């Protein structure tokens, strides 16, 4: 008896291709065949997906894990248990892979990641975790630093080039997946790292073969970190772009995280979608609704004017052939764990990308950034990480939220069991 499973009859969005009435053959967690249902013989278990659309599972290389409970992010919520819970929530929403950028506390994420890779985590139905450990920021004398508000005490305050080199060597010894630093004055309220420090961070990280992501806000900050050798800018410049920046980005093959939805005016209709509301306490949903209404029509972070500029920047960079990478900046404000990734897809399409282009950024392109050749598309030899949708996201990108099933390495995620566990917690 064959141990293959053949999923038949669906529309497959494989990556660059769209196949109708297609079949996906999975064995040992790996995709073995892809093609027309009529052309593939069914030798094992057959699962009909007629009327459904199948997409690769999402890969998100930029978020913050372990701090959010309900719709609130706070240091007091951070724990190993919460990190693991968030990995379940990500899997529930069809996210196979998640990188936490710079807000690890007491090496908790590193320990979870290492257990997961060693096969000793003892949990199924979880996204695979990547982490940059603790990120780097400048101290602000007499005040909190310019790191994330919920993790200002967890990030490393750099005091000089030699000191920060030693810190990066420590990160390398822990085998972090990337190095993250912040270069942002938070609208003039915080101190910023000096060039001698962030240049030392980048140089030392590269000496250990580590990728460096720089949080920036302005056009000039973006140019400065690219000239210093940063591999990724973790946000679009919020003060516009120019030809020089585009040239720097392309000449140095720098990746630009989209990070759109965190600054998009969120509205509130999505709070009533079953895909969101069914897994959170009603009081948490209503608290977020009240916060959104209080700020409306402005976003929870920055201004609507700044966001409209970001939409123009996104399209201009895409048209110029800059290396854009999907980024949901999950885990704070309205970027709810797992659901934020779907809001980012919606924001990308609203800004002007096609649904298929947005999906490729969130799957194949983001997997490539993390060096993961085994996932990101529905092609032969890849991990069988896929999401079965009730509707077609090429017609309406919000269809990615209407999930029938999620499979990770060919194993069906027990979404009902996860949901019951959250309801009974």
């Amino acid at each position: 008896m064959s141990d293959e499973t053949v999923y038949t009859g669906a529309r497959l969005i494989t990556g660059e291709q769209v196949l109708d009435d297609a079949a996906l053959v999975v064995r040992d967690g790996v995709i073995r065949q892809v093609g027309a249902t009529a052309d593939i013989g069914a030798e094992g278990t057959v699962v009909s997906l007629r009327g459904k659309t199948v997409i690769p599972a999402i890969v998100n290389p930029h978020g913050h894990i372990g701090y959010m409970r309900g719709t609130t992010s706070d240091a007091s919520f951070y724990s190993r248990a919460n990190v693991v819970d968030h990995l379940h929530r990500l899997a529930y929403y069809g996210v196979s892979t998640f990188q936490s950028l710079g807000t690890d506390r007491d090496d908790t994420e590193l320990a979870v990641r290492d257990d997961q890779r060693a096969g000793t985590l003892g949990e199924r139905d979880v996204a695979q975790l990547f982490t940059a450990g603790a990120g780097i920021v400048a101290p602000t004398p007499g005040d909190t630093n310019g790191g994330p508000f919920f993790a200002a005490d967890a990030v490393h305050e750099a005091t000089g080039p030699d000191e920060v080199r030693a810190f990066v060597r420590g990160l390398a010894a822990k085998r972090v997946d990337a190095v993250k630093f912040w270069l942002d004055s938070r609208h003039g309220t915080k101190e910023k790292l000096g060039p001698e420090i962030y240049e030392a961070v980048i140089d030392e990280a590269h000496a250990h073969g580590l990728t460096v992501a720089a949080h920036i806000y302005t056009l000039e900050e973006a140019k400065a970190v690219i000239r210093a050798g940063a591999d990724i800018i973790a946000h679009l410049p919020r003060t516009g772009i120019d030809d020089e920046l585009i040239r720097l980005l392309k000449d140095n093959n720098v990746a630009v995280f989209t990070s759109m939805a965190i600054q998009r005016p969120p509205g509130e209709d999505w709070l009533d979608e079953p895909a969101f509301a069914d897994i959170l306490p009603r009081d948490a949903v209503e608290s977020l609704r009240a916060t959104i209404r209080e700020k409306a029509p402005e976003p929870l972070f920055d201004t609507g004017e700044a966001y409209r500029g970001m939409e123009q920047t996104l399209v201009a960079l895409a048209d110029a052939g800059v290396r854009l990478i999907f980024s949901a900046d999950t885990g704070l404000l309205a970027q709810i764990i797992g659901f934020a990734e779907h809001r980012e897809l919606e924001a990308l399409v609203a800004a002007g990308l096609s649904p298929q282009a947005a999906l490729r950024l969130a799957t194949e392109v983001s997997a490539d950034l993390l060096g993961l050749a085994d996932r990101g598309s529905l092609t032969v030899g890849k991990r069988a990480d896929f999401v079965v949708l009730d509707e077609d996201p090429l017609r309406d990108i919000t269809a990615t939220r209407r999930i029938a099933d999620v499979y990770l390495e060919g194993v069906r995620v027990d979404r009902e069991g996860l949901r019951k566990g959250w309801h009974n917690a």
Side-chain angles (χ1 to χ4, degrees), residues 136 164 168 179 181 197-206 212:
I136 300 162
V164 83
V168 174
V179 173
F181 71 86
I197 296 182
Y198 63 74
E199 288 170 2
V201 170
I202 295 168
D203 183 65
E204 192 67 36
H206 286 173
V212 181

Side-chain angles (χ1 to χ4, degrees), residues 64-69 74-83 100 103-110 150:
H64 305 281
I65 201 167
Y67 289 89
M68 183 170 273
R69 182 174 295 166
D74 191 88
S76 65
F77 297 151
Y78 191 89
S79 67
R80 179 184 172 98
N82 209 31
V83 169
S100 183
T103 47
D104 193 0
R105 185 177 292 269
D106 300 324
D107 293 343
T108 301
E109 293 168 21
L110 285 161
F150 51 86

Side-chain angles (χ1 to χ4, degrees), residues 17-279:
Q17 287 188 306
V18 180
L19 305 176
D20 287 315
D21 193 8
L24 193 70
V25 181
V26 175
R27 184 174 68 251
D28 298 328
V30 176
I31 297 171
R32 304 299 181 177
Q33 291 185 71
V34 180
T37 295
D39 296 338
I40 293 180
E43 296 183 0
T45 303
V46 177
V47 177
S48 174
L49 298 180
R50 192 159 301 280
K52 307 293 186 183
T53 299
V54 177
I55 63 171
I58 293 170
V59 175
N60 179 12
H62 180 199
H64 305 281
I65 201 167
Y67 289 89
M68 183 170 273
R69 182 174 295 166
T71 58
T72 302
S73 297
D74 191 88
S76 65
F77 297 151
Y78 191 89
S79 67
R80 179 184 172 98
N82 209 31
V83 169
V84 172
D85 176 66
H86 288 177
L87 294 176
H88 284 304
R89 291 174 186 268
L90 289 159
Y92 177 90
Y93 280 116
V95 180
S96 74
T97 313
F98 182 90
Q99 180 167 253
S100 183
L101 271 187
T103 47
D104 193 0
R105 185 177 292 269
D106 300 324
D107 293 343
T108 301
E109 293 168 21
L110 285 161
V112 170
R113 181 206 65 177
D114 289 348
D115 286 348
Q116 189 176 45
R117 292 182 185 179
T120 58
L121 185 62
E123 300 279 346
R124 56 159 286 168
D125 297 340
V126 288
Q128 184 175 357
L129 179 63
F130 287 67
T131 179
I136 300 162
V137 70
T140 298
D143 199 357
T144 56
N145 59 55
F149 66 89
F150 51 86
D153 62 328
V155 297
H156 177 75
E157 295 186 351
T159 57
D162 292 341
E163 179 274 335
V164 83
R165 282 182 181 276
F167 180 75
V168 174
R169 286 195 293 273
L171 291 175
K174 297 170 184 176
R175 297 176 293 109
V176 295
D177 298 298
V179 173
K180 166 79 173 290
F181 71 86
W182 282 262
L183 186 66
D184 184 351
S185 71
R186 306 293 185 181
H187 297 294
T189 65
K190 305 294 181 181
E191 294 294 323
K192 295 199 303 185
L193 292 171
E196 73 284 359
I197 296 182
Y198 63 74
E199 288 170 2
V201 170
I202 295 168
D203 183 65
E204 192 67 36
H206 286 173
H208 294 277
L210 293 169
T211 297
V212 181
H215 168 111
I216 54 87
Y217 187 90
T218 70
L219 171 63
E220 291 309 316
E221 289 163 355
K223 290 180 181 179
V225 299
I226 295 167
R227 292 188 184 111
D231 305 289
I232 300 164
I233 56 174
H235 292 268
L236 302 173
R238 270 66 66 87
T239 57
I241 57 172
D242 61 17
D243 290 342
E244 182 184 27
L245 177 66
I246 291 174
R247 185 169 62 254
L248 283 168
L249 289 167
K250 295 184 71 173
D251 287 351
N252 294 282
N253 195 30
V254 173
V256 181
F257 283 167
T258 57
S259 304
M260 295 284 288
I262 192 168
Q263 290 193 226
R264 190 181 191 214
E268 59 180 272
D269 290 348
W270 58 284
L271 297 176
D272 297 314
E273 293 186 34
F276 175 70
D278 277 1
I279 69 161

